[in-house]
Amino acid sequence: MELPFDVGALYNRKEQIHAVFGGQQQGGISTPKEHPLVIAFTGEAGVSHGYHDFWDDDEFFHYFGEGQVGDMKYVAGNRAIGEHVKDGKTLVVFQMMGKGRPYRYLGRFMCQSSYVQPGTPDREGQPRSAIVFRLRSLEASLGLAASETDQAEIDATVDDVGATSTRRETEVRTKQRLFRERLIGVEKGCRLTGIEDLRFLRASHIKPWAESTHSERVDGENGLLLTPHADLLFDRGWISFSSSGRLLISSNLPFDVQDRLGLKLDPSLRHGIFSPKQLGFLAFHREVVFDSAHHTRAISR
């Protein structure tokens, strides 16, 4: 079925999703009666109940079903997801961006299988059995581009047909896609501009691809979402971030370039909190990528 949504874009749940298709306006799974559609919402709500949806190494999205207290049952929304193909319905997933905020459209998915995970806490903290669905994304991408250096790595792999195999090319593309899928669960948007629409952002490794281990390359916490200008500056070491979230600016970055970029490069501002793993990767970026040999007009702590 045709859907009025662009992958990576943001939509108001009440006005742009339910006003068009109907369905329950509360909860994690919505099943409109008048349309062959199942709508699943993923994000922070599950974390508050002791579990979270995640991408595995094979690019299956593990989505926890609905039911806040006691064992989850294979009824209502849970059944709708598990049997959407049999019922001839399209399954789509939106990402929650925070209370009262728009939802990010992640695209069409297909339920491949499900399993029961015991010992998952319910709303009251009591252990129960949770139903988890393995979903496969049907989208080529999330509307999110690779960073400049990551794209160069992909292009080099594709171009170097004499020295590498199709399998190697596929592995690189898969790792890049998995990294992006995991990154959007860690970062909501660009820390410098606040833009959250994935169509205008790039997925940038903090510790560069070439310097990272296999596990670091697909670790969402080894990344930032940045607009193209910000990505270029970060990728090439013109800027970085301190452990307290303050912006670090290379003294070699020309003042006229800073003015013309249109970015608010203010070292006095804090740009949010980084996770412990992100801080480790940022330490590497400051030491190896950032122009640390020169003094910066920034506060380092």
Side-chain angles (χ1 to χ4, degrees), residues 114-228:
S114 63
Y115 62 93
V116 175
Q117 180 168 302
T120 303
D122 65 13
R123 184 183 62 191
E124 299 175 355
Q126 298 300 311
R128 48 83 174 266
S129 293
I131 298 174
V132 187
F133 299 96
R134 292 188 182 92
L135 309 182
R136 172 74 74 185
S137 173
L138 301 181
E139 306 295 342
S141 72
L142 294 169
L144 179 64
S147 70
E148 185 180 65
T149 54
D150 284 354
Q151 189 60 53
E153 172 75 14
I154 295 174
D155 294 341
T157 300
V158 174
D159 292 339
D160 193 12
V161 293
T164 189
S165 64
T166 301
R167 180 179 178 181
R168 167 61 177 156
E169 175 189 337
T170 301
E171 288 176 350
V172 171
R173 292 189 185 279
T174 298
K175 286 183 181 295
Q176 288 288 346
R177 190 168 56 244
L178 180 57
F179 165 67
R180 295 177 218 176
E181 290 164 343
R182 288 175 170 171
L183 174 58
I184 65 170
V186 176
E187 292 284 292
K188 291 293 181 64
C190 176
R191 296 205 176 223
L192 294 184
T193 65
I195 292 175
E196 296 180 335
D197 189 323
L198 296 182
R199 298 172 299 174
F200 303 95
L201 298 175
R202 290 181 177 176
S204 185
H205 276 89
I206 299 174
K207 184 178 181 181
W209 172 278
E211 306 287 344
S212 297
T213 64
H214 290 299
S215 62
E216 290 173 338
R217 288 176 176 176
V218 295
D219 189 338
E221 292 188 274
N222 183 19
L224 296 175
L225 292 173
L226 298 169
T227 55

Side-chain angles (χ1 to χ4, degrees), residues 9-10 33 41 50 54 92 119-121 178 187 192 196 207 222 227 248 268 278 288 292:
L10 304 174
K33 293 181 179 180
F41 297 92
F54 65 93
V92 298
T120 303
L178 180 57
E187 292 284 292
L192 294 184
E196 296 180 335
K207 184 178 181 181
N222 183 19
T227 55
L248 303 175
S268 68
Q278 283 181 307
V288 178
S292 58

